[in-house]
Amino acid sequence: MTIRPLSSALTSTATTSSQTPAQAAERADPITAGLQKSSTKLQGMLDTATASLSTLGKFKASVAASQTAAKTLTTLKDTASSDEVKKALASFVSTFNAMVASTQSAAAASSGVERISRGMTRAMTADFSRVDAQRQMGFTKASDGSLKLDNNKLEAALKASPTAVLGTLSKLGGLVDKVATKELGSSGGIGQSVNSLSSKATVLQMQQNALLKAAQQYASFAQARNGSAWSA
């Protein structure tokens, strides 16, 4: 989001044909200098808010992708082949790890991001019996929160008890889906953070527009004043 600089509105009050823009800025009167300083400050704040929105948007997309992959785990049928199960679980692991990887950068945009990421992980590890079942099929969590999958163990578990594996995956997917649905909603952590940043950016935009209008009015006033001085 880029705001039109005040320089164009202030040029007539600070620049003559014999001055460069830098010289004109140095010779600017206090009002012009104050307006320009405020404009620069507001633009910096707006740029920060916009960048945070972009980063948070990427995190939101990664949570949504994890949710989609989690839902797929809940729809696997008893007739699903070993390859279909492996593909669905591999997709979940990949999207979940992408979410974990984006957590650090997104945490700077919203203090609630790390809590959301932990909540997604906790959904899979709160029940110790379920954690044990996940380990037996080669599904584990690393110290950084990312997931790892041992396909050999998964293959062995599918051969030993495909129904048990599908049951574990269905519960896993349902729990992650539930947490993601809550956080992605308008009243959830991600939804509230996005709305808050969007509101902040809107207010900054309005302030910058108001400042530009003030600068234009001052420029017109200064021109009229200078014109009167010359005619006198």
Side-chain angles (χ1 to χ4, degrees):
M1 190 179 297
T2 303
I3 301 299
R4 175 188 169 191
L6 295 184
S7 56
S8 59
L10 299 174
T11 298
S12 59
T13 68
T15 306
T16 67
S17 58
S18 62
Q19 293 177 328
T20 66
Q23 291 172 328
E26 291 176 0
R27 293 169 179 255
D29 60 66
I31 295 178
T32 298
L35 287 171
Q36 189 63 56
K37 182 178 180 180
S38 295
S39 174
T40 300
K41 181 179 179 179
L42 279 174
Q43 185 63 60
M45 294 170 65
L46 185 57
D47 288 344
T48 298
T50 302
S52 294
L53 267 175
S54 176
T55 300
L56 193 58
K58 293 177 182 177
F59 178 73
K60 179 180 179 179
S62 69
V63 172
S66 295
Q67 180 184 36
T68 298
K71 285 182 177 179
T72 299
L73 297 180
T74 68
T75 62
L76 290 171
K77 301 183 181 301
D78 292 339
T79 56
S81 67
S82 173
D83 286 342
E84 288 175 329
V85 175
K86 288 179 181 178
K87 181 179 179 180
L89 189 50
S91 175
F92 174 71
V93 170
S94 176
T95 55
F96 191 92
N97 287 347
M99 180 205 69
V100 172
S102 68
T103 298
Q104 185 173 1
S105 58
S110 171
S111 59
V113 165
E114 291 183 335
R115 177 190 61 77
I116 294 168
S117 183
R118 287 195 301 269
M120 295 279 282
T121 301
R122 195 177 298 116
M124 298 182 292
T125 59
D127 187 332
F128 288 108
S129 63
R130 189 177 298 118
V131 171
D132 185 59
Q134 292 170 13
R135 286 200 190 99
Q136 290 179 16
M137 62 187 219
F139 191 61
T140 57
K141 181 175 74 73
S143 59
D144 64 353
S146 62
L147 304 178
K148 292 184 178 181
L149 179 62
D150 186 326
N151 281 308
N152 291 328
K153 285 187 177 182
L154 176 59
E155 182 68 38
L158 283 169
K159 288 181 179 179
S161 181
T163 301
V165 171
L166 291 175
T168 297
L169 293 181
S170 180
K171 291 178 181 178
L172 171 67
L175 289 169
V176 172
D177 177 31
K178 183 179 180 179
V179 174
T181 297
K182 176 184 176 181
E183 296 297 349
L184 290 169
S186 58
S187 60
I190 298 176
Q192 289 183 341
S193 294
V194 170
N195 291 338
S196 176
L197 279 171
S198 294
S199 296
K200 181 179 181 179
T202 298
V203 170
L204 289 171
Q205 175 84 63
M206 293 173 62
Q207 291 176 338
Q208 186 74 313
N209 288 340
L211 190 62
L212 176 59
K213 183 177 180 179
Q216 292 171 332
Q217 291 174 339
Y218 174 68
S220 297
F221 166 77
Q223 284 182 319
R225 181 187 60 189
N226 291 339
S228 298
W230 278 107
S231 61

